[in-house]
């Protein structure tokens, strides 16, 4: 965890090279611990650093790797964050349809996570249809809202 905190501190301070170094160290720690969600979250942070440095190809690779890892971890909160980062990247590349798709998938993951939390808290689970960015996407199962399948990243 310290590598992530130090990475964030350097990122916020504008020292992207040192931030990347700390995120790399944190990646090794999360990998050793087998914490896929934290690993994916840190991959997202590292991808954002590359994006901020203008290395869009490396950013895309890291963000897509983060997305694959977070899906294995079944962590919808971190998945929503990664989709947002992918959307930002695609927007800045001028790929507006892909950006919109990514933002919609992030909204879907975040909404399903909210409903999952409501279900876990014993509150009524709502079936949600998102029609803002992607008509027809739903949280498919009251027992497992994470089973909903967002649009595939292209």
């Amino acid at each position: 965890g310290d590598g992530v905190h130090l990475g964030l501190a350097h990122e916020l301070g504008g020292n992207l090279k040192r931030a990347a170094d700390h995120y790399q160290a944190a990646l090794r720690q999360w990998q050793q611990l087998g914490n896929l969600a934290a690993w994916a979250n840190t991959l997202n942070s590292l991808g954002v650093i590359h994006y901020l440095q203008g290395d869009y190809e490396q950013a895309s690779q890291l963000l897509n790797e983060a997305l694959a890892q977070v899906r294995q971890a079944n962590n919808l909160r971190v998945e929503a964050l990664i989709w947002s980062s992918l959307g930002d990247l695609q927007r800045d590349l001028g790929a507006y349809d892909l950006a919109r798709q990514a933002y919609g998938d992030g909204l879907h993951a975040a909404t399903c996570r909210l409903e999952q939390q409501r279900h876990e808290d014993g509150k009524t689970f709502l079936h949600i249809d998102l029609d803002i960015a992607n008509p027809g996407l739903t949280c498919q199962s009251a027992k497992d809202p994470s089973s909903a399948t967002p649009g595939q990243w292209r």
Side-chain angles (χ1 to χ4, degrees):
D2 287 343
V4 171
H5 295 116
L6 290 170
L8 181 59
H10 285 291
E11 181 180 348
L12 294 174
N15 190 339
L16 300 181
K17 169 69 174 110
R18 291 202 62 197
D21 292 343
H22 287 289
Y23 288 142
Q24 286 286 1
L27 279 177
R28 288 188 292 275
Q29 290 175 338
W30 294 131
Q31 209 169 13
Q32 288 173 350
L33 293 171
N35 188 330
L36 291 178
W39 187 26
N41 195 26
T42 305
L43 277 171
N44 178 73
S45 296
L46 190 57
V48 169
I49 293 296
H50 283 276
Y51 159 75
L52 293 172
Q53 292 174 324
D55 186 355
Y56 297 140
E57 186 175 325
Q58 182 65 23
S60 179
Q61 289 176 2
L62 289 165
L63 293 172
N64 279 294
E65 183 181 348
L67 188 60
Q69 294 302 322
V70 80
R71 285 182 167 167
Q72 286 183 20
N74 194 29
N75 186 311
L76 291 168
R77 186 191 67 76
V78 175
E79 183 177 337
L81 177 65
I82 295 166
W83 279 119
S84 178
S85 297
L86 283 163
D88 291 348
L89 174 64
Q90 292 303 323
R91 181 199 62 219
D92 286 356
L93 290 172
Y96 299 112
D97 289 340
L98 290 175
R100 188 169 147 218
Q101 179 70 45
Y103 290 139
D105 288 345
L107 177 61
H108 178 253
T111 304
C112 288
R113 177 60 191 121
L114 175 65
E115 295 312 313
Q116 185 180 52
Q117 186 65 47
R118 285 183 184 167
H119 180 68
E120 290 168 1
D121 290 345
K123 297 177 184 166
T124 303
F125 179 79
L126 301 174
H127 185 80
I128 293 186
D129 251 341
L130 294 179
D131 59 5
I132 296 169
N134 293 303
L137 288 180
T138 61
C139 297
Q140 295 172 342
S141 167
K143 291 185 180 178
D144 183 15
S146 66
S147 67
T149 305
Q152 296 299 306
W153 181 251
R154 293 167 188 73

